Amino acid sequence: MSLLRKPLSKHGKVHDITPASAEWQYVGFAVHRLTRGDAVEENNGSEETILVLIEGKASIKAGGHDFGTLGERMNVFEKSLPHAVYMPQQCSWSANAETDCTLAVCRAPGKGTGHSVKQLGPTGVTVAERGVGSNRRLIHNIAMEDRPVADSLLVTEVFTPQGNWSSYPPHRHDKDDFPNITYLEETYYHRLNPPQGFGLQRVFTEDGSLDETLTVHDHDVVLVPRGHHPCGAPFGYEMYYLNVMAGPLRHWRFINHPDHDWITEFNPDH
């Protein structure tokens, strides 16, 4: 199975990753690139869903709620806070593009624990700077575990400056052994600024059974079924990625690669 997923086209549903197509159990992820006047409607079935307006504006309806026009940043690299909407399973939703826009659809199994349809951003999205030196990056926490808004989904977005590393030091979350480590499948939806740029992402296990170094371009998705997964942005090209994680427990617990854990003495917050 290839861990790198290229866009299916330049318009419409350009990604449609399901647990079956990814050969795992929990994470589903789609991206719609819409032009002004386009519309999309779906029912999420047994999966809870978080819609994230990556860029552009759209009128959003979900689970019987009309959220009106959402979206603020016309380009993701403006770095303003994202607009997002959560809905539990068995909800219909629609998006009508009021400008050209990019809409991410983050999915994971719903558990019916009573979470309601709600707007998650920009209000409630927390901002953090992580790392030091060439390991520095900007985090927008849309729905991480300190925000109890979902059954399974963990969603965040990261801006990595040119020449910097991210998801670093290498870490993994591929074993169900809470509270030491949790099993979380993960997708990375990458963007580059300027868009003709590229980045690198390595996905590898400590025993060497998985070791792939991938060249990522604008709108590519990388699957992380297990192992460590750092990525880097070359000089001249800024990197953005939207992370979607899910597994048996909605907790993000990871273990650093033992060879590189020493780096945390300079960056204790990872």
Side-chain angles (χ1 to χ4, degrees):
M1 177 190 72
S2 173
L3 300 182
L4 179 63
R5 300 297 173 91
K6 308 295 289 186
L8 301 172
S9 64
K10 294 184 178 181
H11 179 259
K13 185 181 278 190
V14 300
H15 285 288
D16 189 13
I17 296 162
T18 66
S21 69
E23 299 181 19
W24 57 28
Q25 299 181 66
Y26 296 97
V27 173
F29 181 71
V31 176
H32 297 265
R33 295 184 67 184
L34 307 175
T35 57
R36 182 178 181 181
D38 287 348
V40 57
E41 296 183 15
E42 292 185 355
N43 185 287
N44 64 359
S46 62
E47 296 177 309
E48 65 176 0
T49 304
I50 293 178
L51 305 177
V52 181
L53 267 164
I54 304 294
E55 56 200 356
K57 297 183 180 183
S59 57
I60 303 292
K61 295 180 180 179
H65 296 254
D66 187 345
F67 292 95
T69 300
L70 298 183
E72 177 181 352
R73 59 193 186 196
M74 293 295 101
N75 183 296
V76 65
F77 288 99
E78 294 171 13
K79 301 185 182 67
S80 55
L81 296 179
H83 290 219
V85 169
Y86 170 85
M87 70 196 85
Q89 68 269 38
Q90 304 302 331
C91 281
S92 295
W93 63 269
S94 66
N96 289 270
E98 298 190 5
T99 67
D100 291 355
C101 67
T102 303
L103 176 69
V105 185
C106 315
R107 307 186 303 258
K111 299 179 181 178
T113 57
H115 293 292
S116 59
V117 178
K118 61 180 71 69
Q119 187 170 339
L120 297 183
T123 302
V125 174
T126 60
V127 179
E129 282 207 3
R130 189 173 297 158
V132 295
S134 60
N135 195 36
R136 182 174 52 85
R137 60 268 201 204
L138 175 69
I139 318 293
H140 288 170
N141 289 309
I142 299 170
M144 295 302 283
E145 68 175 286
D146 59 346
R147 196 176 188 192
V149 295
D151 292 338
S152 302
L153 280 168
L154 296 163
V155 179
T156 191
E157 59 180 16
V158 179
F159 297 86
T160 305
Q162 60 174 336
N164 282 23
W165 285 87
S166 206
S167 292
Y168 188 83
H171 66 275
R172 62 183 175 91
H173 39 72
D174 54 10
K175 186 177 180 181
D176 189 12
D177 184 24
F178 182 78
N180 300 309
I181 184 173
T182 47
Y183 174 84
L184 294 169
E185 301 158 355
E186 185 169 21
T187 54
Y188 277 67
Y189 167 63
H190 285 280
R191 299 292 301 274
L192 280 301
N193 181 37
Q196 72 271 22
F198 69 93
L200 298 175
Q201 184 156 22
R202 184 184 180 198
V203 183
F204 66 105
T205 56
E206 291 164 31
D207 64 5
S209 60
L210 172 62
D211 193 344
E212 292 191 27
T213 300
L214 308 164
T215 303
V216 296
H217 295 92
D218 202 36
H219 296 287
D220 285 353
V221 172
V222 171
L223 308 181
V224 182
R226 64 187 189 279
H228 304 272
H229 40 277
C231 49
F235 176 78
Y237 293 100
E238 185 178 16
M239 174 185 284
Y240 162 94
Y241 53 82
L242 178 72
N243 282 143
V244 181
M245 295 182 282
L249 295 176
R250 191 176 180 266
H251 294 287
W252 182 48
R253 299 290 186 276
F254 57 84
I255 293 176
N256 289 334
H257 193 293
D259 290 347
H260 310 296
D261 188 50
W262 65 271
I263 294 168
T264 59
E265 67 183 82
F266 303 104
N267 179 199
D269 295 327
H270 202 73

